[in-house]
Amino acid sequence: MVVCVYLPRFELVIAAGGPEALAGRALAIAPLPGGESRVGGVSGAAEAFGVQAGMALGEALARCPELGLVAADPLGVARAWEAVARALEGIGAALELDRPGLAYFEADGLRGLYGGEEGVIAAAREAVRAAGRASIGVGRAARVGAGPTRFCALAAALDAGSRRAVIVDGKGARRYLASQPVELLCFRSETAALVEPLRRLGVRTLGELRELSPGRPDAVADRFGEAGVLAHRLAGGADTPLSTRRVEDRLEVSLELGEPGSGQALERVLGVLVDRLLARPERRGRTLRAASLSARLVEGGTWQERVVFRQALSDSRRMRLALSLRLALLPAPAEGLRLAVERFGPPDGEQGTLLRSARTARLASLREAVSQVRTVAGPEAALRALCVDPDSRVPERRVVFTPFPG
Amino acid sequence: MSASRALNLPRPARVRAGSEGAPGMVDGRAVESVRESWLVEDRWWTDEPLRRRYWEVVDVRGRNLVVFHDLRSGGWFIQAA
C-alpha cells in the first residue's frame, strides 16, 4: 500500500508567509527577475478569476486586476520541504519526493510499528503537522491518501480532507480511478500534456480514457504515443514502483552580506563559504558529490541552484570554480549566500596507485560516470543487461536489467 | 535501489487472425507470409501457467515480426524472440 502526503499550494504558502495569508486573497508567485514572465502557483481566489499556474503575467493581470504578486522563495520552500521530509523519515518512511508538497512512501513495512494502515497514516499526519508547527504552519492543510499504487494514492489524497484520510483498497482501485477526472494526469510530467487534447475529445474521466480501448492500450498509443500508454496504464490501476531517496546528513553554511553584493564580491563570499564547509568536522573527510547554492535577493525572494560536480571532490579551488559559474545566473544582487551539501561522495583519503593499468583506469572512469549519472537522474539511471537464462523458451526470461555495480 | 526487472517484455499488438489462427494483419499491416509457428507451454505446475502460440511472420513492408497469441487470456502480443 502506497501512502501519498500532499500539501496543496506548498510553494505559494511558503512564499506568502503562511496559509493565513492566502485566505480570500487572489495571490500568485511572481516571475523570477530576468526569467520568463509567467506566474507560479496561484491561490484559490485567483483560480476563481481564471488565473492558472504557468499563465503569462499579462494575461493573469487582465483576468484578475487585483491579483497580488509574491516573490518566489525557492530557498524557503526547500528548507520547509526538507523539514517535512525529515519528519516523515523520522517515522521510518522511505520517501519518494515528487515535487515540494507531494511525497509518497510504502506503508507495508510500517504496519507492524503503528498497528495498521490507519496508524501509519496518523503517524505521518502528526509528523507533518509537527514539522509545520516548527515553520509557518504548513502541515495543517496536509492531505493524506493511500492506495495500491502511487497514482491511486495521489487520487485518494486529493479526495481527502485535512482531517480525514482516504484509503482505497486494491480491489476497488480500478473502479475508484474510473470516476476520477483526467486532470489527475497533470500531476505526472509524462502525461500532463495529454490533458488538454483529452478534454477536447470529450474525455472527462479516467474511466472514459480506459474505454477508448478497453483492455488494450493500442488506440491510445496510436493517438498519443508512449504518454498515452502510460496514461492508460495509470487509469487501469498500474504504476511503476516508488524510487525512494537516500537519507543524507544535512550540512550547510551561510553568510549574511553587509550590503547587497554581486560579481567579484560574491565570489569572495563564496570562497569563504566553501572553505567553511570543507572545514566542518561533520564532513568526516567525505568528498562532496552535489551541492546547492542559494541566495536571498535584494529585490525580495530567494534563488537556488543545484550543482552536481563532475567528480566527487573536496578541493576548495575546484569547488569554487564550479560554483562561481552558477553565481553568474543570479537574477539580482544578493543579501545573503548559503551553500549546502546535497550528496556526499566517498572519503577523500583514497589514493590512486602509482602504476595504474589501463583497465583499472577505465573501470574507475566508468564507476565515476555511473555515480554522476545516478546523482543527476536517480538510482535507476544506470542499469546493465544480465543474461540469466539465455536458452529459455520464454523470451522475457532470458535477460534482465539489474543495477550497474558502481 | 529496485530489484531486477525483465527485458523484452511482450507489448500488446493489434492482430487480426485468419481462419486457421494465423495472423493476417499485425498493427494495421497485412501479413505477407508466415515463416514459422511454435507452441510454448511453461510453468504448468504453477497457478499461473503459460501457454503461447508464437508466429514469425513477414509483413507487407518486409519486416520480420514475432507475435504470439496468449492461449489463456486470448490477447495478442508482439515480442522480439
Side-chain angles (χ1 to χ4, degrees), chain A residues 216 380 393 396-397 401, chain B residues 2 5 13 39 42 52 79:
Chain A
R216 295 165 62 181
E380 293 226 333
R393 300 176 69 215
E396 66 264 32
R397 294 208 192 119
F401 272 137
Chain B
S2 73
R5 62 169 188 262
L39 183 70
D42 199 13
R52 294 174 179 175
Q79 185 175 35

Side-chain angles (χ1 to χ4, degrees), chain A residues 215-353:
Chain A
R216 295 165 62 181
D218 313 350
V220 191
D222 286 350
R223 174 69 178 78
F224 298 111
E226 202 174 333
V229 177
L230 175 61
H232 196 271
R233 288 186 62 235
L234 293 173
D239 205 343
T240 50
L242 296 188
S243 173
T244 54
R245 77 166 185 169
R246 202 168 64 181
V247 180
E248 294 271 9
D249 296 339
R250 194 78 189 150
L251 191 58
E252 64 176 60
V253 286
S254 59
L255 200 63
E256 290 297 316
L257 281 66
E259 55 190 51
S262 59
Q264 283 193 337
L266 270 190
E267 281 188 28
R268 280 197 293 276
V269 173
L270 177 65
V272 173
L273 288 180
V274 169
D275 290 341
R276 282 188 185 176
L277 192 70
L278 292 175
R280 289 281 289 268
E282 300 97 310
R283 185 170 71 85
R284 297 196 300 275
R286 288 171 292 179
T287 50
L288 272 58
R289 162 68 58 196
S292 74
L293 183 63
S294 46
R296 207 155 41 72
L297 305 176
V298 171
E299 296 180 2
T302 55
W303 166 91
Q304 187 167 28
E305 276 280 314
R306 184 170 190 253
V307 183
V308 178
F309 299 116
R310 287 189 62 199
Q311 274 185 317
L313 48 88
S314 58
D315 175 23
S316 159
R317 193 176 53 84
R318 288 168 66 193
M319 276 179 67
R320 227 176 285 174
L321 201 63
L323 292 166
S324 60
L325 293 173
R326 304 302 174 102
L327 277 183
L329 303 174
L330 256 175
E335 287 180 333
L337 209 57
R338 170 182 160 274
L339 181 63
V341 179
E342 288 233 332
R343 178 79 65 88
F344 284 103
D348 55 4
E350 291 176 0
Q351 292 189 14
T353 53

Side-chain angles (χ1 to χ4, degrees), chain A residues 216-219 222 241-242 244 374 379-380 382-383 385 392-404, chain B residues 1-10 12-15 38-43 50 52 54 76 79-81:
Chain A
R216 295 165 62 181
D218 313 350
D222 286 350
L242 296 188
T244 54
R374 283 194 179 132
E380 293 226 333
L383 302 173
S392 173
R393 300 176 69 215
V394 184
E396 66 264 32
R397 294 208 192 119
R398 293 175 195 156
V399 185
V400 294
F401 272 137
T402 60
F404 195 93
Chain B
M1 198 169 293
S2 73
S4 306
R5 62 169 188 262
L7 192 65
N8 190 20
L9 286 169
R14 279 180 298 154
V15 175
W38 65 96
L39 183 70
V40 173
E41 294 202 33
D42 199 13
R43 299 173 68 91
L50 190 144
R52 294 174 179 175
Y54 274 86
W76 282 89
Q79 185 175 35

Side-chain angles (χ1 to χ4, degrees), chain A residues 101-296:
Chain A
L102 187 57
Y104 304 92
F105 65 89
E106 280 283 356
D108 296 353
L110 301 174
R111 278 201 204 107
L113 273 176
Y114 298 100
E117 269 134 22
E118 286 81 4
V120 174
I121 288 172
R125 194 188 285 283
E126 185 47 42
V128 174
R129 285 203 177 134
R133 275 197 293 274
S135 55
I136 51 174
V138 285
R140 268 174 286 163
R143 297 178 187 188
V144 184
T149 63
R150 179 200 290 110
F151 194 63
C152 193
L154 169 66
L158 293 175
D159 263 357
S162 56
R163 291 169 188 273
R164 181 187 58 90
V166 171
I167 301 176
V168 181
D169 64 17
K171 287 177 189 165
R174 280 181 75 152
R175 197 167 350 127
Y176 177 75
L177 283 171
S179 63
Q180 297 295 319
V182 288
E183 282 74 14
L184 201 60
L185 295 169
C186 284
F187 281 83
R188 289 285 283 257
S189 57
E190 308 98 309
T191 55
L194 295 183
V195 173
E196 194 49 43
L198 284 172
R199 274 194 207 132
R200 282 203 301 271
L201 287 170
V203 178
R204 303 281 167 214
T205 64
L206 295 175
E208 289 171 8
L209 172 62
R210 289 284 299 174
E211 282 165 17
L212 289 178
S213 56
R216 295 165 62 181
D218 313 350
V220 191
D222 286 350
R223 174 69 178 78
F224 298 111
E226 202 174 333
V229 177
L230 175 61
H232 196 271
R233 288 186 62 235
L234 293 173
D239 205 343
T240 50
L242 296 188
S243 173
T244 54
R245 77 166 185 169
R246 202 168 64 181
V247 180
E248 294 271 9
D249 296 339
R250 194 78 189 150
L251 191 58
E252 64 176 60
V253 286
S254 59
L255 200 63
E256 290 297 316
L257 281 66
E259 55 190 51
S262 59
Q264 283 193 337
L266 270 190
E267 281 188 28
R268 280 197 293 276
V269 173
L270 177 65
V272 173
L273 288 180
V274 169
D275 290 341
R276 282 188 185 176
L277 192 70
L278 292 175
R280 289 281 289 268
E282 300 97 310
R283 185 170 71 85
R284 297 196 300 275
R286 288 171 292 179
T287 50
L288 272 58
R289 162 68 58 196
S292 74
L293 183 63
S294 46
R296 207 155 41 72

